[in-house]
Amino acid sequence: MSGPPTAGTRPDEVRRHNRTALLRRLHVGGPCTRAELAAELGLNRSTIKALVDGLADAGVVVEQVSAKRTGAGRPSLLVLPQPRSLWVLAVDVGVEQTTVAAVGFGGEVLGTRGWTLPRGAGTPDDLLAKIGTACRRLAERIGSEPVGVGVSVPGVVRRDGYVHEAPNLHWEGVPVGERLSAALHRPVLVGNDAELGALAEHTRGIASDTADMVFVSVDVGVGGGVISERAALRGSGGYVGELGHMVVRPGGRPCYCGCRGCWETEIGEDALCRALGLPEGSPREAVVGELRALAGEPQAALSRLREFTDWLGIGLINIVNLLGPQLVVLGDLLAALPEAVVDEAAETVRELSLVSRAVGGIRIVASPLGKEAKIIGAAELAFQQALAG
């Protein structure tokens, strides 16, 4: 959340700032009383009353008596966000599955549409047209227009929504934001899938109270999202987070990027299939099923995934040494790893990372949001802009 308005700020800017802060609090934190809003946001009660009354008149919130009574006197009224009053479209473009969701104010999912495709099948034009149709049908079902659109793509994404490269989709130079904006007649925000996974965990997941964290995503490829001092670290042009292309094994397997021995070749989906004794390119359900079968057998899991765990630990050491996060969240397929494997990799980092030994307390955990992280992140990307308007 942004800081307080500076001296000399116009009254209308102050009101807009306060309204945005209130909307963000209700969207992320859920229902609360006016008194709680005043205390948390540092605003006086008359300001909160004016803001809440305005939102109630617009149908964005309603107030009702809390079921919990504390003491005598007039009961406190809860301010509740109304999901259908403000809603966004969230799109997760996966390598094998695409999902479109309508997400309401407060985070409630109002409807979804999804479909699967063979890896790399279909052209960008075909997929974007299908996404546009799914978005319009969801809007028709809800009976109103979205206030924003957010899209997650597994590739190198420029700030303006131009996908420089999405190799596992076989995309190159695709202006996703521009094309979907033209199809839907509204601005569309596009982000890298791992970057949006980090946003989801920081907003609604295990990293909500953490200022500095890294989200590591393993799908077909490997990516990362970085939150630094509670803000996304994006770098020049937005191209930050290609953690899968750290070279960890010089002379190792060739990677599509042109290098050999990238981290992606050692812990990506195909590498995990090899470690589990499955054919490369096996269905996601088969991979997750094998991992779940090992969940209750820690020694078997460590034995079977020994080399995979070693390479996972080596990459995490590099990440911790470079970025010094408080928390590393393992997402997508890594979220399905047996607990013993995650603990072993975390112990390796504690023992061998210089930064971890110096700072202490760096946690490495599996994502509680799992496969939902990217669609949640796409929704939150859209809400960030919509609630600030």
Side-chain angles (χ1 to χ4, degrees):
M1 190 176 294
S2 58
T6 58
T9 305
R10 297 198 309 269
D12 60 326
E13 292 177 339
V14 174
R15 284 193 295 272
R16 185 164 55 249
H17 171 89
N18 291 340
R19 183 179 185 273
T20 295
L22 176 60
L23 287 170
R24 286 294 305 171
R25 166 57 185 83
L26 291 171
H27 174 62
V28 176
C32 62
T33 66
R34 291 187 184 193
E36 289 168 336
L37 288 171
E40 291 182 29
L41 300 179
L43 300 174
N44 62 50
R45 293 198 176 199
S46 62
T47 299
I48 290 295
K49 181 181 185 306
L51 290 169
V52 172
D53 286 348
L55 293 175
D57 289 344
V60 176
V61 302
V62 296
E63 291 186 279
Q64 68 180 36
V65 176
S66 172
K68 295 173 64 177
R69 292 288 300 272
T70 55
R74 189 175 180 179
S76 297
L77 293 177
L78 276 179
V79 182
L80 291 85
Q82 295 300 286
R84 289 176 179 266
S85 64
L86 301 170
W87 65 277
V88 302
L89 286 162
V91 182
D92 175 24
V93 179
V95 177
E96 296 172 339
Q97 177 161 350
T98 295
T99 303
V100 180
V103 181
F105 180 43
E108 180 181 335
V109 177
L110 305 175
T112 62
R113 289 179 176 269
W115 58 91
T116 58
L117 286 172
R119 189 184 297 186
T123 67
D125 287 343
D126 292 340
L127 184 57
L128 293 176
K130 196 166 184 177
I131 289 170
T133 299
C135 287
R136 288 188 290 271
R137 287 180 177 169
L138 278 173
E140 290 170 1
R141 175 178 165 185
I142 292 170
S144 61
E145 293 298 312
V147 296
V149 184
V151 182
S152 165
V153 177
V156 181
V157 183
R158 202 166 64 192
R159 291 180 186 271
D160 62 358
Y162 179 87
V163 177
H164 175 71
E165 188 175 4
N168 291 312
L169 293 173
H170 305 304
W171 288 10
E172 188 172 343
V174 182
V176 172
E178 178 184 312
R179 291 188 186 177
L180 280 179
S181 292
L184 299 174
H185 307 294
R186 65 190 64 253
V188 173
L189 301 176
V190 185
N192 168 268
D193 60 346
E195 177 187 330
L196 296 186
L199 175 61
E201 292 291 351
H202 190 242
T203 304
R204 296 192 177 276
I206 199 167
S208 59
D209 294 325
T210 304
D212 300 278
M213 59 87 67
V214 177
F215 180 82
V216 180
S217 166
V218 169
D219 196 332
V220 175
V222 176
V226 183
I227 300 292
S228 178
E229 297 183 346
R230 300 192 180 280
L233 183 64
R234 304 203 65 202
S236 176
Y239 302 144
V240 164
E242 292 302 319
L243 304 180
H245 299 288
M246 297 184 293
V247 176
V248 296
R249 191 174 190 172
R253 290 175 177 268
C255 180
Y256 71 82
C257 73
C259 294
R260 283 182 170 271
C262 289
W263 198 31
E264 184 167 302
T265 66
E266 301 299 335
I267 70 159
E269 184 178 61
D270 285 343
L272 188 52
C273 285
R274 294 193 301 269
L276 292 168
L278 298 172
E280 292 185 8
S282 292
R284 173 64 58 86
E285 295 77 10
V287 179
V288 173
E290 287 288 325
L291 292 174
R292 286 176 177 166
L294 290 171
E297 303 179 53
Q299 292 307 313
L302 288 171
S303 175
R304 195 167 172 188
L305 297 174
R306 169 52 58 197
E307 187 175 2
F308 179 91
T309 306
D310 289 345
W311 288 115
L312 175 63
I314 287 171
L316 292 175
I317 290 168
N318 288 332
I319 290 168
V320 169
N321 283 343
L322 179 65
L323 298 170
Q326 297 167 286
L327 175 68
V328 179
V329 182
L330 307 180
D332 290 307
L333 279 173
L334 293 184
L337 288 174
E339 185 178 356
V341 171
V342 175
D343 289 346
E344 181 78 2
E347 183 60 29
T348 298
V349 172
R350 281 191 289 271
E351 290 180 357
L352 301 180
S353 163
L354 178 65
V355 170
S356 181
R357 293 202 305 270
V359 175
I362 295 175
R363 294 185 297 145
I364 297 174
V365 300
S367 165
L369 299 179
K371 65 179 183 179
E372 303 300 323
K374 290 179 285 189
I375 200 78
I376 293 171
E380 292 306 323
L381 179 67
F383 271 118
Q384 278 186 338
Q385 184 174 84
L387 298 183

